[in-house]
């Protein structure tokens, strides 16, 4: 445990039995069970996420904080604080304070980190005596969205069983009936972010640095603006920054991991060795090589996996990825003795499969990468540091490493915005769309594959077609997108 992660006086101990809930007077005074909620589950693949002022509001955040506190206390072996962080969105202050009010109403102590990457909250939760962590962020979503991510005491995503308990409380299906003898306290603990910074650098400090490397960082106006440049400079790199102020109006807008064009141009302009683009909360990262070519999560997994494999640090030569992983990556990894397990899309599913199988490396094409040697959750800054170190140690450019890895199958991904939540989440009941998918699969046979799914983080239907050639992929992508637009959009 890091020495500075210590309890702050102000909250008395209590048993899990005492923590079943609050008296009815407090329950009613914070307005529980008076908010209209959608019929579909609130928790998606990465917490609760939606448009601020529509799904997400301060009253709802207050209730989420309260019921999160009740559930965390119920399952805790001993009482401890909850660690709370946020990204730079304009709504994050409001939601963070409302959540803190709910958590303290549940009798818990809150350690508030302020602006901090999501993996920082997870890490600090895992090494302290905290009983959980909460991050306010909508990750790569646009500025008008926000979200609430909840972590267990070990820093992992909150299990679905506990999510269900929180949601049951929000929907009035369970009652908080036992009394808690004290209210919680809110403490500003901004200094703890420094412990996370030290942990990022520690695995590399023993011998390898980034001296002589010129690195461009696109910080997406988000949570990593203060931390990432200092970490890379302290490791010896020359750093050029883009979108490096906390700006809630511009977070993720034409920048970051969803828009690599500016990063690619800057890498070429400055003759840099590598560029990294983070999303709004810095739990994912994508790279650009020295020629300006985009390097996605499949390549990151292959290169990092091969490095770990060569150092006998990859049990069973196993990587866990998702159904989005490119066939070219899978075939190349198998050719060097590797095994790939695919899961549903979402880093929580990747993490669960890694824990089940004992895999040490896993992630998503979109840039969520988890290496259990060094972290308890996906971490964009940690991944970027290790990929940069890998390039430095190899003594060749990132473009050369990519050229020596694999060729991707042409893969097209189109997002169709479907604002009606019920239509979006129930898309599989749409017969015309299902018939179009069946026709495309029959036509392509073994020359391609199709994945259609409702996003767990955005109001979109994602249509992915991967085929032996670009013409085939383009044709069937257009056909399927047309069917989704015709039968699911208003």
């Amino acid at each position: 445990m890091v020495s500075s992660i210590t309890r702050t006086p102000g909250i008395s101990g209590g048993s899990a039995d005492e923590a079943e809930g609050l008296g009815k007077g407090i329950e009613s005074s914070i307005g529980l069970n008076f908010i209209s909620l959608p019929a579909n589950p609130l928790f998606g693949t990465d917490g609760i996420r939606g448009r601020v002022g529509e799904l997400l509001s301060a009253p709802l955040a207050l209730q989420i904080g309260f019921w999160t506190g009740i559930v965390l206390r119920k399952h805790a072996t001993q009482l401890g604080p909850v660690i709370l962080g946020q990204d730079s969105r304009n709504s994050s202050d409001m939601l963070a304070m409302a959540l803190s009010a709910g958590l303290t109403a549940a009798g818990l102590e809150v350690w508030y980190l302020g602006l901090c990457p999501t993996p920082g909250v997870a890490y600090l939760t895992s090494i302290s005596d905290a009983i959980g962590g909460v991050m306010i962020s909508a990750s790569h979503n646009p500025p008008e969205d926000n979200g609430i991510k909840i972590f267990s005491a070990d820093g992992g995503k909150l299990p679905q069983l506990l999510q269900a308990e929180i949601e049951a409380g929000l929907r009035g299906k369970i009652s908080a009936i036992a009394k808690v003898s004290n209210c919680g306290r809110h403490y500003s603990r901004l200094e703890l972010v420094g412990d996370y910074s030290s942990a990022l650098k520690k695995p590399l400090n023993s011998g390898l640095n980034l001296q002589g490397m010129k690195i461009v960082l696109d910080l997406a106006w988000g949570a990593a603006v203060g931390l990432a440049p200092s970490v890379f400079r302290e490791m010896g790199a020359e750093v050029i920054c883009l979108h490096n102020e906390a700006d809630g109006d511009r977070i993720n807008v034409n920048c970051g991991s969803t828009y690599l064009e500016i990063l690619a141009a800057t890498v070429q302009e400055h003759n840099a060795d590598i560029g990294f683009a983070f999303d709004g909360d810095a739990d994912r990262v994508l790279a650009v090589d020295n020629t300006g070519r985009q390097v996605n999560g499949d390549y990151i997994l292959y290169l990092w996996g091969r490095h770990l494999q060569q150092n006998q640090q990859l049990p069973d030569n196993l990587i866990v990825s998702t159904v989005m992983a490119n066939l070219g990556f899978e075939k190349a990894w198998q050719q060097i003795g590797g095994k790939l397990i695919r899961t549903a899309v979402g880093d929580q599913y990747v993490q669960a499969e890694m824990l089940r199988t004992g895999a040490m490396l896993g992630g998503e094409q979109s840039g969520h990468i988890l290496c259990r040697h060094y972290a308890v959750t996906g971490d964009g800054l940690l991944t970027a540091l290790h990929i940069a170190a890998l390039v430095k140690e190899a003594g060749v450019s990132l473009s050369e490493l990519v050229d020596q890895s694999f060729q991707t199958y042409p893969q097209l991904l189109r997002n169709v915005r479907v604002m009606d939540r019920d239509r979006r989440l129930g898309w599989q009941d749409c017969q015309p769309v299902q018939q179009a998918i069946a026709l495309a699969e029959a036509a392509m046979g073994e020359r391609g594959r199709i994945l259609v799914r409702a996003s767990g983080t955005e109001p979109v239907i994602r249509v992915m077609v991967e085929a032996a050639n670009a013409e085939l992929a383009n044709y069937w992508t257009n056909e399927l997108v047309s069917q989704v637009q015709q039968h699911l959009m208003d």
Side-chain angles (χ1 to χ4, degrees):
M1 183 183 299
V2 176
S3 60
S4 64
I5 312 293
T6 55
R7 290 289 306 280
T8 302
I11 183 168
S12 59
S15 69
D17 290 336
E18 287 179 313
E20 289 284 336
L22 296 176
K24 291 183 179 179
I26 296 179
E27 182 179 338
S28 61
S29 72
I30 65 172
L32 293 175
N33 306 324
F34 287 95
I35 294 178
S36 177
L37 298 176
N40 289 300
L42 290 174
F43 283 89
T45 56
D46 201 13
I48 299 172
R49 192 175 299 189
R51 185 69 56 92
V52 176
E54 295 178 8
L55 175 65
L56 280 180
S57 64
L60 178 59
L62 177 69
Q63 293 192 25
I64 293 170
F66 175 80
W67 285 107
T68 296
I70 294 299
V71 171
L72 289 177
R73 289 190 66 154
K74 175 183 175 182
H75 292 275
T77 55
Q78 62 181 27
L79 206 57
V82 173
I83 293 178
L84 175 63
Q86 68 173 78
D87 71 12
S88 61
R89 293 167 202 273
N90 293 337
S91 59
S92 290
D93 286 348
M94 171 190 74
L95 295 175
M97 294 306 99
L99 270 156
S100 182
L103 289 163
T104 54
L108 292 176
E109 185 174 297
V110 175
W111 290 356
Y112 176 61
L113 304 177
L115 190 69
C116 178
T118 290
V121 173
Y123 170 76
L124 293 168
T125 300
S126 73
I127 64 164
S128 69
D129 57 359
I131 64 171
V134 182
M135 177 68 183
I136 311 301
S137 177
S139 193
H140 61 283
N141 283 34
E144 58 268 23
D145 292 345
N146 217 323
I148 298 169
K149 306 180 182 185
I150 306 173
F151 296 94
S152 300
D154 62 1
K157 297 290 179 70
L158 194 69
Q160 291 185 353
L161 180 63
L162 272 62
Q163 293 180 13
E165 287 189 37
I166 293 171
E167 186 150 344
L170 291 168
R171 295 184 183 277
K173 296 180 179 179
I174 59 174
S175 178
I177 55 175
K179 289 186 177 180
V180 172
S181 59
N182 60 283
C183 290
R185 299 285 299 276
H186 174 104
Y187 294 96
S188 179
R189 300 296 304 272
L190 309 186
E191 80 283 356
L192 297 183
V193 179
D195 292 311
Y196 168 58
S197 175
S198 297
L200 288 171
K201 295 175 289 185
K202 185 176 180 180
L204 303 177
N205 281 338
S206 58
L208 189 65
N209 58 52
L210 304 180
Q211 290 181 0
M213 297 191 75
K214 184 185 293 185
I215 298 175
V216 182
L217 303 178
D218 183 343
L219 303 164
W221 310 113
V225 294
L227 189 61
S230 62
V231 168
F232 274 87
R233 289 187 177 114
E234 288 164 8
M235 290 303 300
E238 177 185 347
V239 177
I240 299 165
C241 292
L242 300 171
H243 316 119
N244 58 326
E245 297 177 2
D247 191 329
D249 289 319
R250 294 188 285 179
I251 185 171
N252 296 321
V253 177
N254 296 329
C255 63
S257 62
T258 58
Y259 189 88
L260 300 181
E261 285 79 357
I262 297 173
L263 176 64
T266 305
V267 167
Q268 292 177 292
E269 177 187 351
H270 292 274
N271 195 28
D273 295 288
I274 193 169
F276 293 109
F278 304 95
D279 62 344
D281 67 337
D283 64 350
R284 70 167 67 180
V285 65
L286 293 178
V288 168
D289 71 16
N290 50 297
T291 70
R293 178 174 47 181
Q294 297 182 11
V295 180
N296 66 22
D298 287 347
Y299 283 103
I300 291 172
L301 285 172
Y302 181 91
L303 295 175
W304 203 354
R306 187 173 62 181
H307 179 78
L308 293 172
Q309 181 191 52
Q310 291 170 346
N311 287 279
Q312 288 79 50
Q313 292 182 296
L314 199 65
D316 298 323
N317 295 325
L318 176 61
I319 293 177
V320 177
S321 190
T322 75
V323 291
M324 295 297 295
N326 194 275
L327 281 172
F329 161 43
E330 181 175 20
K331 291 181 182 298
W333 182 241
Q334 291 171 341
Q335 287 173 0
I336 60 172
K339 293 186 289 186
L340 181 71
I341 293 178
R342 295 177 183 266
T343 72
V345 174
D347 62 320
Q348 66 172 332
Y349 302 115
V350 172
Q351 187 174 36
E353 185 66 14
M354 291 175 67
L355 292 173
R356 187 188 72 83
T357 60
M360 298 303 289
L361 181 67
E364 299 184 273
Q365 190 181 79
S366 60
H368 273 120
I369 308 295
L370 173 60
C371 184
R372 291 175 56 219
H373 289 296
Y374 308 110
V376 295
T377 190
D379 191 328
L381 290 182
L382 185 142
T383 298
L385 284 167
H386 280 263
I387 294 302
L390 185 155
V391 173
K392 174 74 180 295
E393 185 176 0
V396 298
S397 67
L398 179 57
S399 64
E400 291 178 85
L401 292 176
V402 169
D403 288 341
Q404 295 164 9
S405 59
F406 63 89
Q407 292 292 319
T408 60
Y409 280 40
Q411 185 184 81
L412 290 180
L413 175 64
R414 294 269 297 278
N415 294 325
V416 184
R417 202 164 185 85
V418 178
M419 297 307 299
D420 187 303
R421 182 182 174 91
D422 292 333
R423 283 189 185 183
R424 185 172 71 250
L425 297 182
W427 73 269
Q428 290 174 308
D429 297 327
C430 180
Q431 288 305 309
V433 171
Q434 291 289 0
Q435 289 168 2
I437 292 171
L439 178 62
E441 288 177 335
M444 287 195 297
E446 295 183 357
R447 296 181 299 162
R449 65 187 186 101
I450 293 167
L451 178 66
V452 179
R453 65 182 183 90
S455 170
T457 59
E458 297 179 84
V460 298
I461 298 289
R462 303 197 195 280
V463 177
M464 188 277 285
V465 178
E466 189 173 86
N469 59 70
E471 292 77 16
L472 202 60
N474 187 64
Y475 175 81
W476 287 112
T477 300
N478 289 335
E479 287 292 311
L480 294 174
V481 166
S482 176
Q483 291 296 317
V484 171
Q485 291 172 333
Q486 181 178 343
H487 297 286
L488 292 175
M489 293 177 64
D490 293 332

